[in-house]
């Protein structure tokens, strides 16, 4: 018999302002412990030394993680020009150097080449798999590997500041699967001067903003109290980019059982993704087909249960 997972049935999102020096998985574990939650996950990994928005989903909200993972995200980061490292960030060893430094106009022109639909090769020290093994494990073992280029949509990439000739501060808005370290590496290579990331901060991810994020210290301070529960963001927030359609209570009952249910829409076309709710709580998300919502994710409950005292 399967072992029952301990913890509360609690659903929603906690937005964390992740500090440097801790993994995304460790943040998730901290939030799960602090809320005594049965189930938790995150929408988009941050490197251990990166900071900023890490949206942690709890309970039924984990079913909405793909919609945040696939959403646009905003980053601010600083590139150290003149040096390439084996990790493409400041944690690695310097492997190439150059005395050449581009002027501001050359930098801005080069940035245009990284906007739109591009291809990028992940850093060798990354979690992508090569023949079933993590790339970083192979890299640490000194093994040679060939990583394949992956598509990435970059909405914008602009220069925010040039504090000195060795550094440039950039802002990037991109889609799923972007490696900022690869952008820094490839930008430096395109300019002929090399480059790597020295700090990275995710300022927003889909609907979640860093200004609304809790620090690890705040989470620890409020752990196992109703005060932390009050910071839960409804799971429905993750669906805000999808059209919402109304349904009846009868249709909601069918949808919750995984069956198609009648919905009302004058704007959707056959095959469009959408979601429906009753009394403000999500019931299902799926595909619109001829007046029906065909669910691929069903939400059984929302909010919290047994608030801690």
């Amino acid at each position: 018999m399967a072992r029952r997972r301990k913890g509360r049935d609690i659903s929603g999102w906690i937005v964390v302002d992740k500090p440097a020096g801790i993994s995304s998985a460790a943040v998730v574990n901290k939030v799960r412990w602090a809320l005594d939650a049965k189930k938790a996950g995150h929408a988009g990994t941050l490197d251990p030394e990166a900071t900023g928005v890490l949206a942690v989903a709890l309970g039924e909200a984990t079913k909405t993680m793909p919609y945040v993972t696939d959403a646009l995200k905003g980053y601010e980061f600083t590139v150290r020009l003149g040096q390439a490292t084996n990790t493409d960030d400041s944690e690695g060893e310097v492997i190439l150097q150059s005395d050449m430094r581009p002027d501001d106009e050359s930098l801005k022109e080069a940035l245009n080449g990284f906007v739109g639909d591009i291809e990028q090769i992940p850093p060798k020290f990354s979690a992508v798999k090569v023949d079933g093994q993590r790339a970083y494990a192979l890299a640490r073992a000194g093994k040679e590997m060939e990583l394949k280029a992956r598509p990435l949509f970059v909405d914008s990439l602009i220069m925010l500041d040039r504090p000195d000739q060795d550094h440039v501060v950039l802002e990037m808005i991109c889609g799923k699967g972007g490696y900022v370290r690869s952008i820094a590496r490839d930008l430096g290579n395109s300019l002929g001067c090399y480059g790597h990331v020295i700090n990275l901060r995710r300022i927003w991810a889909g609907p979640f903003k860093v200004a609304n994020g809790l620090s690890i210290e705040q989470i620890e301070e409020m752990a196992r109290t109703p005060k932390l529960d009050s910071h839960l963001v409804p799971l429905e927030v993750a669906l805000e980019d999808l059209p919402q359609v109304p349904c009846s209570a009868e249709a909601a009952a069918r949808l919750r059982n995984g069956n198609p249910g009648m919905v009302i829409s004058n704007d959707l076309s056959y095959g469009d993704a959408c979601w429906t709710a009753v009394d403000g709580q999500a019931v299902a998300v799926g595909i619109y087909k001829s007046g029906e919502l065909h669910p691929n994710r069903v939400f059984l409950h929302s909010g919290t249960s047994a608030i801690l005292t």
Side-chain angles (χ1 to χ4, degrees), residues 43-45 65-75 116-118 120 150-155 172-180 202 204-206 297:
T45 302
M65 288 195 308
Y67 303 102
V68 179
T69 302
D70 292 345
L72 290 176
K73 300 172 181 65
Y75 299 88
D117 292 309
I118 68 171
Q120 68 168 201
R150 298 182 171 201
L152 172 67
F153 172 70
V154 178
D155 185 72
M172 180 171 72
I173 298 174
C174 68
K176 176 183 178 180
Y179 283 96
V180 175
R202 185 154 65 195
W204 56 271
R297 289 180 177 85

Side-chain angles (χ1 to χ4, degrees), residues 216-271:
I216 292 296
E217 291 76 17
Q218 288 175 311
I219 291 169
E220 290 176 338
E221 181 181 342
M222 294 184 286
R224 305 293 178 115
T225 71
K227 191 172 182 180
L228 185 54
D229 283 359
S230 71
H231 287 275
L232 274 174
V233 178
L235 69 85
E236 290 80 9
V237 171
L239 302 173
E240 67 176 18
D241 287 340
L242 291 178
Q244 182 182 353
V245 292
C247 73
S248 66
E250 291 78 12
R254 287 185 52 80
L255 289 164
R256 286 193 176 101
N257 288 321
N259 299 312
M262 296 293 295
V263 294
I264 303 171
S265 175
N266 295 321
D267 302 321
L268 294 180
S269 300
Y270 187 95

Side-chain angles (χ1 to χ4, degrees), residues 37-239:
K38 277 187 180 180
K39 187 176 182 181
H42 67 77
T45 302
L46 280 175
D47 288 339
E49 293 307 311
T51 69
V53 169
L54 187 71
V56 179
L58 301 149
E60 292 293 283
T62 58
K63 297 176 182 177
T64 67
M65 288 195 308
Y67 303 102
V68 179
T69 302
D70 292 345
L72 290 176
K73 300 172 181 65
Y75 299 88
E76 289 184 5
F77 58 103
T78 301
V79 178
R80 167 59 159 99
L81 301 171
Q83 294 179 341
T85 70
N86 61 343
T87 59
D88 300 319
D89 63 16
S90 58
E91 295 297 298
E93 299 178 4
V94 175
I95 54 176
L96 293 168
Q97 296 194 69
S98 171
D99 293 328
M100 195 277 279
R101 298 293 183 271
D103 58 29
D104 288 3
E105 289 306 311
S106 297
L107 262 168
K108 291 177 182 177
E109 184 177 351
L111 293 177
N112 293 330
F114 294 88
V115 176
D117 292 309
I118 68 171
E119 296 276 328
Q120 68 168 201
I121 297 174
K124 289 185 177 180
F125 284 82
S126 64
V128 299
K129 286 190 174 182
V130 180
D131 296 329
Q133 298 186 66
R134 298 293 184 184
Y136 62 74
L138 295 173
R140 287 170 183 164
K143 296 183 178 180
E144 292 296 322
M145 74 190 88
E146 184 175 348
L147 297 177
K148 296 181 180 179
R150 298 182 171 201
L152 172 67
F153 172 70
V154 178
D155 185 72
S156 65
L157 180 60
I158 61 174
M159 184 169 73
L160 297 179
D161 192 17
R162 184 79 185 272
D164 54 53
Q165 288 300 297
D166 289 339
H167 301 89
V168 57
V169 182
L170 305 176
E171 177 188 82
M172 180 171 72
I173 298 174
C174 68
K176 176 183 178 180
Y179 283 96
V180 175
R181 287 180 290 151
S182 293
I183 293 291
R185 177 199 65 208
D186 295 345
L187 174 64
N189 289 342
S190 72
L191 291 165
C193 66
Y194 309 122
H196 66 270
V197 170
I198 62 170
N199 61 59
L200 166 63
R201 184 162 177 80
R202 185 154 65 195
I203 52 179
W204 56 271
F208 303 116
K209 309 294 188 292
V210 72
N212 300 322
L214 297 174
S215 68
I216 292 296
E217 291 76 17
Q218 288 175 311
I219 291 169
E220 290 176 338
E221 181 181 342
M222 294 184 286
R224 305 293 178 115
T225 71
K227 191 172 182 180
L228 185 54
D229 283 359
S230 71
H231 287 275
L232 274 174
V233 178
L235 69 85
E236 290 80 9
V237 171
L239 302 173

